[in-house]
Amino acid sequence: ALFTVGDYLAERLAQIGIRHHFIVPGDYNLILLDKLEAHPALTEVGCTNELNCSLAAEGYARACGVGVCVVTYSVGAFSAFNGIGSAYAENLPVILVSGAPNTNDVDQHLLHHTLGEHDFIYQLEMAKRITCCAVAIRRASHAPELIDRAIRTALLKRKPVYIEVPTNLSGEACAQPGPISAVVKPFPSDAPALDAAVTGASEFLRSKQKPVILVGPKVRRVGAEKALLQLVEAIGCAVVLQPAAKGSFPEDHAQFAGIFWGQVSTLAADTIVNWSDVLVCIGTVFTDYSTVGWTALPSVPQLVADIDNVALPNPNMYFSHVQLQDFLVRLSEAVSWNSCTMTEYNRLRPDPALGQASGGQERLTRKEVARQTQLLLTPETTVFTETGDSWFNGIQLCLPPGAEFEIEMQWGHIGWTIPASFGYALAKPERRTILMTGDGAFQMTAQEVSQMVRCRIPIIILLINNRGYTIEVEIHDGLYNRIQNWNYALLVEAFNSEEGGGRALGLKAHTAEQISEALKRAIAHKDGPTLIECSIHQDDCSRELITWGHFVAAANSRVPAKDK
Ligand SMILES: C/C(NCc1cnc(C)nc1N)=C(/S)[C@H](O)COP(=O)(O)OP(=O)(O)O
Ligand SMILES: [Mg+2]
């Protein structure tokens, strides 16, 4: 049989470990979808819309390192761009493949789904702004180089890429691909830079008394968790995590000192950071949200190790082309033991707060939902927490060893947990995936629960219904923060079709006893998702959200600088 452009793409996707490709069909991508479906290692997963399709690929990439979504031109790609924005912001290699007009029509005719002008490069130009590599195949003979270039760039940069395939090229003859090593082989660190960075860093740290390691979200994105653990145990100092890094370091480890999030930190993380005289920042990201409206920017010298570079504060030096993994391993062999901040932390360590169980018949509270969620966690659990008060409830959870945690703090698209957890759970069916989401968020992407039914995925959705956009209420309130209340439990059961297949279970919980019952039923429900609508009072939000919201509102309302 003829080996085609579509076969080339399918083979490369399979070779980098893709087993599910997320799609929404359209007449610009149907032939391409045939080729992908024909590949024995690939399973096509239809999504209800292209926003959910791209977010499902983003969640899939969290589980197995890379994801792919295939959409139609313009009407499809424009919605998918939002999920690609998330992949870019979250450092995830998602491959966006878009069908495109027949090459004979380009610059000749007006076509459906386009802007209705003789312009066929606007989508490629838009894609260039939100990816690390965007290519448009115009001739079948160019396909191998363009496809390999895009995939290689995605994997090396840990960023999304864009591949545009005209509808009449997918079935055209194409060369067969050479060894995949040419595409996936990583760049090694530059040896002199690595040596100098390690020497400089270990000498600098010997000049300090109270080091603390601050772990950021990028460590996981380059698979450097083991190297991090090696460095942590070579120094012996206190280790704190940024909120978006939760799940990157074991919370039962003796050196774990909490989530550092300024005034809404957990345990005594902010105290030990304030006591330190140097922060070893590994894969960190400091934004308005992660610094509580800039009130928690570190005030001590920082030694910064990023994805592929290292910066020392004194002497003030920068080392490029140093892979994080290599730097951490080499530094762990050169650094001196200094457990001073761990000794101090053990004096400060707060006693574990025993959550008080509320009475069975009492009105359900946010605290009770959080307490019962904590009881659910096992080494096989993965918790997805949504932008909203769920962030703060999730960050407070104590992860047992092996439990995983996913959060989208940089992009912060409410509704992300539904499609992203669906994509994630397809890649890791052996794990028990639990979502903590809000009523506002759920209304953004609720349709994707239908795919959890179709694929029989037993995700547990804890929907905290506080009647509106409470994060926004705590930042700055107005009528716009009110939303139409749905019968959420009834809605998910609408996705069950009479012809059998998977089943969604919709439950409501207004009291502590009801959520306890609902969780038992959710754990037992295996052939589809369970949504538990946890109805709490509109003003029942976390202490941390109120504090955090106060400072974020202050940061948002700074008046323009005089000279601007
Ligand atoms: C509207 C918005 N953010 C603005 C926003 C708007 N649109 C998108 C796609 N993403 C966003 N984060 C946010 S955080 C709401 O409070 C979320 O409400 P909900 O899901 O109900 O959670 P809480 O009640 O806990 O806040
Ligand atoms: Mg809400």
Side-chain angles (χ1 to χ4, degrees):
L2 186 66
F3 191 85
T4 66
V5 168
D7 295 323
Y8 192 102
L9 177 61
E11 178 60 11
R12 281 310 199 205
L13 294 178
Q15 287 177 315
I16 61 173
I18 298 279
R19 292 294 173 268
H20 299 87
H21 54 290
F22 299 95
I23 66 111
V24 177
D27 62 348
Y28 287 119
N29 69 16
L30 300 178
I31 307 302
L32 177 60
L33 294 183
D34 289 343
K35 301 297 178 189
L36 298 179
E37 185 48 29
H39 193 290
L42 297 179
T43 301
E44 175 187 281
V45 180
C47 295
T48 53
N49 64 45
E50 289 84 353
L51 167 64
N52 289 337
C53 187
S54 56
L55 288 174
E58 197 259 24
Y60 191 87
R62 289 168 182 265
C64 63
V66 62
V68 63
C69 53
V70 188
V71 299
T72 195
Y73 193 68
S74 233
V75 291
F78 276 40
S79 295
F81 281 159
N82 203 327
I84 297 306
S86 182
Y88 197 98
E90 301 285 331
N91 297 297
L92 290 161
V94 170
I95 300 162
L96 171 60
V97 181
S98 176
N102 182 304
T103 52
N104 299 303
D105 290 322
V106 172
D107 299 339
Q108 302 296 327
H109 302 125
L110 294 178
L111 287 180
H112 70 289
H113 288 342
T114 69
L115 299 173
E117 297 178 343
H118 293 101
D119 169 359
F120 294 90
I121 61 168
Y122 61 89
Q123 181 163 307
L124 176 64
E125 287 177 337
M126 291 164 76
K128 283 180 178 157
R129 294 298 314 279
I130 55 172
T131 61
C132 63
C133 177
V135 298
I137 300 171
R138 294 277 180 256
R139 297 174 61 85
S141 57
H142 300 167
E145 193 278 323
L146 293 174
I147 291 171
D148 281 9
R149 185 201 311 172
I151 293 178
R152 176 166 178 73
T153 312
L155 296 179
L156 294 185
K157 298 278 183 193
R158 320 304 299 161
K159 291 287 185 187
V161 295
Y162 172 77
I163 301 174
E164 188 172 292
V165 187
T167 179
N168 63 329
L169 290 190
S170 303
E172 285 298 295
C174 179
Q176 307 221 16
I180 190 63
S181 55
V183 175
V184 299
K185 195 166 175 333
F187 282 129
S189 297
D190 172 76
L194 176 58
D195 293 345
V198 168
T199 307
S202 47
E203 275 167 19
F204 170 70
L205 287 174
R206 269 190 283 280
S207 74
K208 291 292 177 182
Q209 282 69 47
K210 304 183 286 182
V212 165
I213 288 177
L214 174 60
V215 180
K218 295 187 204 174
V219 170
R220 278 173 84 176
R221 297 296 182 248
V222 292
E225 297 98 314
K226 282 200 177 29
L228 167 70
L229 200 54
Q230 197 174 316
L231 174 62
V232 162
E233 294 178 349
I235 299 184
C237 66
V239 179
V240 293
L241 279 60
Q242 291 193 297
K246 188 174 174 81
S248 316
F249 183 81
E251 299 191 357
D252 63 320
H253 193 283
Q255 292 169 248
F256 175 65
I259 302 292
F260 173 63
W261 200 358
Q263 302 186 55
V264 294
S265 296
T266 69
L267 302 177
D270 50 338
T271 312
I272 202 64
V273 165
N274 292 334
W275 192 75
S276 72
D277 63 1
V278 61
L279 267 187
V280 183
C281 297
I282 304 172
T284 43
V285 179
F286 294 104
T287 69
D288 49 347
Y289 275 22
S290 66
T291 64
V292 194
W294 311 115
T295 61
L297 269 172
S299 54
V300 293
Q302 295 120 57
L303 188 168
V304 180
D306 204 339
I307 284 186
D308 60 6
N309 60 75
V310 171
L312 297 186
N314 183 11
N316 187 1
M317 286 187 83
Y318 180 84
F319 305 88
S320 55
H321 223 144
V322 173
Q323 301 301 340
L324 184 60
Q325 167 86 15
D326 299 338
F327 176 71
L328 295 177
V329 168
R330 287 283 307 281
L331 183 58
S332 68
E333 292 153 5
V335 78
S336 307
W337 177 263
N338 180 344
S339 61
C340 173
T341 51
M342 203 56 232
T343 309
E344 176 65 9
Y345 183 78
N346 285 325
R347 298 185 190 107
L348 300 164
R349 185 189 294 271
D351 303 325
L354 291 177
Q356 296 306 320
S358 55
Q361 294 313 318
E362 277 174 44
R363 157 127 211 209
L364 186 58
T365 63
R366 180 199 58 78
K367 257 192 203 169
E368 182 60 16
V369 175
R371 190 185 71 82
Q372 294 207 30
T373 307
Q374 177 67 55
L375 298 175
L376 274 183
L377 304 187
T378 69
E380 296 70 41
T381 307
T382 298
V383 178
F384 273 73
T385 51
E386 193 78 75
T387 299
D389 202 21
S390 299
W391 268 358
F392 302 93
N393 297 329
I395 287 295
Q396 300 290 336
L397 293 172
C398 303
L399 299 182
E404 293 188 12
F405 186 87
E406 294 293 347
I407 190 168
E408 188 213 27
M409 185 163 270
Q410 182 57 41
W411 192 246
H413 186 303
I414 56 171
W416 157 83
T417 58
I418 309 293
S421 64
F422 166 62
Y424 174 96
L426 272 175
K428 289 194 171 180
E430 73 286 354
R431 298 194 66 81
R432 162 65 79 183
T433 303
I434 297 177
L435 314 186
M436 300 176 82
T437 186
D439 50 326
F442 187 74
Q443 292 195 1
M444 288 252 178
T445 56
Q447 314 94 314
E448 219 55 21
V449 173
S450 154
Q451 308 304 13
M452 298 176 187
V453 174
R454 188 184 190 188
C455 301
R456 298 168 178 269
I457 302 194
I459 287 177
I460 296 178
I461 303 168
L462 294 175
L463 190 153
I464 317 289
N465 188 356
N466 53 18
R467 299 304 179 94
Y469 295 144
T470 300
I471 266 202
E472 301 305 339
V473 168
E474 298 309 328
I475 292 178
H476 177 81
D477 201 7
L479 276 181
Y480 34 72
N481 290 329
R482 307 290 171 271
I483 60 175
Q484 170 69 17
N485 190 45
W486 291 356
N487 185 330
Y488 297 98
L490 199 57
L491 174 80
V492 295
E493 303 216 348
F495 294 130
N496 296 331
S497 66
E498 296 69 40
E499 299 84 55
R503 306 294 298 167
L505 179 60
L507 304 170
K508 287 178 185 292
H510 295 271
T511 67
E513 189 176 27
Q514 284 173 353
I515 188 174
S516 176
E517 285 311 306
L519 286 171
K520 286 195 190 82
R521 289 187 60 190
I523 294 286
H525 182 62
K526 301 285 186 197
D527 72 340
T530 303
L531 179 137
I532 303 175
E533 177 191 338
C534 307
S535 176
I536 66 174
H537 187 278
Q538 180 170 312
D539 293 330
D540 181 0
C541 70
S542 65
R543 168 176 66 81
E544 290 77 12
L545 171 55
I546 294 170
T547 301
W548 177 87
H550 169 78
F551 289 105
V552 163
N556 287 345
S557 52
R558 286 163 297 161
V559 296
K562 288 288 167 287
D563 56 354
K564 285 220 171 80

